Amino acid sequence: MGGILSGKVVLITGAGGSIGSEIVRQVASFGPARLVLLDAGEFNLYAIDHELAEKYPGLERRAVLADVRHRGQLDRLLTAEKPDLIFHAAAYKHVPLIEENPVEGAWTNVLGTRHLADLAVAHGVAAMVMISTDKAVNPTNVMGATKRLAECYCQTLDLSSSTRFVT
């Protein structure tokens, strides 16, 4: 992992969430050149940024309050930061909430992933790792289905682009 992450610009979406914040901690330990933390939730983004400042005071980082559903924001961010690698953990993951709010789940989990994946290709990002769920294997609910669609989209791009996609 050190060879993959050391000296690289790494973008982590959903950086303030339970999964994203752990990815942030792990990536930071490998000495990237810069960490770009993206989250739509202000408090969680602030908390993980503050934690990094204390634990890795010399690590260059940027906390970005943004939503993966907004393609224009993502495009401007990738233009400015030029990430080498993206860890995509931004998603809605709670089954009961997505069952009650399926459109929101699809907007974030499917369209947000598509925006980010398309832009990763357009900006020449070396690799994008999409964090999925076991519920996508044989989906029996809306949340699992949205994550499965996002996986399929990334897997298709992996076959047809120079950007490597891993789910």
Side-chain angles (χ1 to χ4, degrees), residues 21-58:
S21 63
E22 186 56 31
I23 293 170
V24 168
R25 291 179 192 99
Q26 295 294 322
V27 170
S29 73
F30 288 103
R34 184 170 63 257
L35 265 182
V36 182
L37 313 175
L38 183 145
D39 205 291
E42 177 190 16
F43 179 76
N44 289 342
L45 180 62
Y46 173 81
I48 192 64
D49 185 48
H50 185 71
E51 180 181 325
L52 280 184
E54 288 183 353
K55 190 167 183 180
Y56 300 97

Side-chain angles (χ1 to χ4, degrees), residues 17 23 40-41 46 51 53 61 69 85 88 99 110 121 154 162 165:
I23 293 170
Y46 173 81
E51 180 181 325
R61 67 190 193 292
R69 298 186 295 183
L85 179 64
H88 178 46
E99 289 300 303
V110 179
V121 172
C154 289
S162 59
F165 287 88

Side-chain angles (χ1 to χ4, degrees), residues 67-158:
D67 192 319
V68 295
R69 298 186 295 183
H70 299 152
R71 185 181 174 97
Q73 283 182 318
L74 293 176
D75 190 31
R76 288 186 293 279
L77 180 64
L78 269 64
T79 297
E81 297 295 338
K82 300 176 181 26
D84 299 299
L85 179 64
I86 297 171
F87 286 92
H88 178 46
Y92 285 136
K93 301 173 181 83
H94 296 90
V95 172
L97 285 174
I98 301 310
E99 289 300 303
E100 290 295 320
N101 302 279
V103 173
E104 291 300 311
W107 268 104
T108 297
N109 295 354
V110 179
L111 228 43
T113 300
R114 181 179 176 178
H115 291 331
L116 189 62
D118 288 346
L119 289 166
V121 172
H123 286 271
V125 174
M128 178 174 141
V129 178
M130 182 203 145
I131 309 302
S132 192
T133 173
D134 60 338
K135 293 167 184 65
V137 175
N138 186 16
T140 59
N141 53 56
V142 173
M143 193 281 291
T146 63
K147 294 297 280 183
R148 182 68 185 132
L149 283 169
E151 283 181 359
C152 289
Y153 191 78
C154 289
Q155 290 166 350
T156 299
L157 282 180
D158 187 56

